[in-house]
Amino acid sequence: MFGLTWVQLSLLLGALLTVAWSWWTVPGGNLNARLVRDVTLYIAIPGLLAVTHGRHLGYRIDRRAIRNSLLLAAIVIPFYVVGSSLPSIRAYYPMWGASPALGSFVPHAAKQFIVVLAAETYYRGLLCVGVRKIGFKSVFISPIVYAFHHLGKPPIELMLSGPTDVLFGAVDYDCNSLLPSVVAHGLGLILLDWLVLHEPLIRPETVLDWLSWLPIPL
């Protein structure tokens, strides 16, 4: 298309989708509106491009992908558990007003998981696994955009967003699949929301003491 290679086309679309995502504002706290925007921009459009060009964005599962999913989940889940005790995290989450009642939490978790799937399709699919032919450097394409989209979130989350993006990208790149980052990110956020809606597993004072060396508000 337009004489562009697949990699050039993917990166151009990625840039356009970033602009569109910022332009298409949704009401704060409206998970349904967020779901429509993210599925449209991050799943439907990249998916259509991939299908029409005979490419894939990481929607595949094999033994290596399952193994990497388990390893990545084992790495990130402790961060979610510790983070759920931080005052700044507990004040920010859940982002879309869930309650601990299962009738409220389960639909919330399902919709949030789809939002995560959309994000991973964009960041790790279109901008990493989808352009893996350029080599491992594909892992470093999206961290700046990923961090930009975390502006306004708790400082510790913003600080960790870039390294997290690189880690997720590297694990997905290794197995040519989105499964690891979708599992770690999606189930991790569901776990975080559930923990925030209940008494902390670790005393906030203890976690604040552990992380007191960080030069950011916690």
Side-chain angles (χ1 to χ4, degrees):
M1 182 181 291
F2 308 119
L4 299 176
T5 67
W6 167 252
V7 172
Q8 291 170 336
L9 193 57
S10 297
L11 297 181
L12 175 60
L13 179 63
L16 292 175
L17 290 177
T18 292
V19 173
W21 192 91
S22 300
W23 172 78
W24 185 346
T25 58
V26 298
N30 191 326
L31 179 54
N32 291 329
R34 175 69 179 268
L35 193 65
V36 171
R37 179 187 66 180
D38 288 15
V39 167
T40 300
L41 296 181
Y42 286 169
I43 294 181
I45 295 177
L48 179 62
L49 183 72
V51 169
T52 56
H53 287 73
R55 306 283 179 161
H56 84 89
L57 301 177
Y59 280 60
R60 56 186 299 275
I61 298 175
D62 57 19
R63 292 179 62 183
R64 191 179 189 91
I66 293 172
R67 181 205 66 181
N68 283 15
S69 299
L70 295 174
L71 290 174
L72 185 60
I75 291 172
V76 303
I77 284 176
F79 285 87
Y80 284 112
V81 172
V82 171
S84 68
S85 292
L86 289 172
S88 60
I89 297 294
R90 296 183 71 84
Y92 188 83
Y93 289 93
M95 289 188 288
W96 294 292
S99 80
L102 290 181
S104 170
F105 187 82
V106 171
H108 160 86
K111 292 176 183 178
Q112 181 170 264
F113 188 85
I114 297 173
V115 168
V116 168
L117 176 62
E120 294 303 328
T121 300
Y122 172 70
Y123 293 111
R124 254 63 67 181
L126 182 67
L127 299 179
C128 182
V129 173
V131 295
R132 61 179 284 112
K133 66 179 295 182
I134 68 174
F136 189 74
K137 56 180 173 288
S138 63
V139 169
F140 300 98
I141 292 175
S142 64
I144 294 177
V145 178
Y146 192 63
F148 172 76
H149 285 166
H150 279 70
L151 292 175
K153 293 193 173 185
I156 192 168
E157 187 172 352
L158 177 61
M159 182 186 74
L160 291 174
S161 59
T164 299
D165 183 272
V166 172
L167 173 63
F168 282 17
V171 175
D172 284 359
Y173 174 89
D174 177 73
C175 61
N176 196 22
S177 171
L178 294 182
L179 185 65
S181 59
V182 169
V183 169
H185 192 180
L187 297 185
L189 275 183
I190 292 172
L191 173 63
L192 178 65
D193 279 355
W194 182 257
L195 292 174
V196 166
L197 290 168
H198 295 80
E199 289 299 314
L201 292 181
I202 308 173
R203 293 176 64 250
E205 295 79 7
T206 300
V207 176
L208 289 172
D209 184 58
W210 288 348
L211 302 178
S212 60
W213 54 276
L214 289 173
I216 55 174
L218 300 172

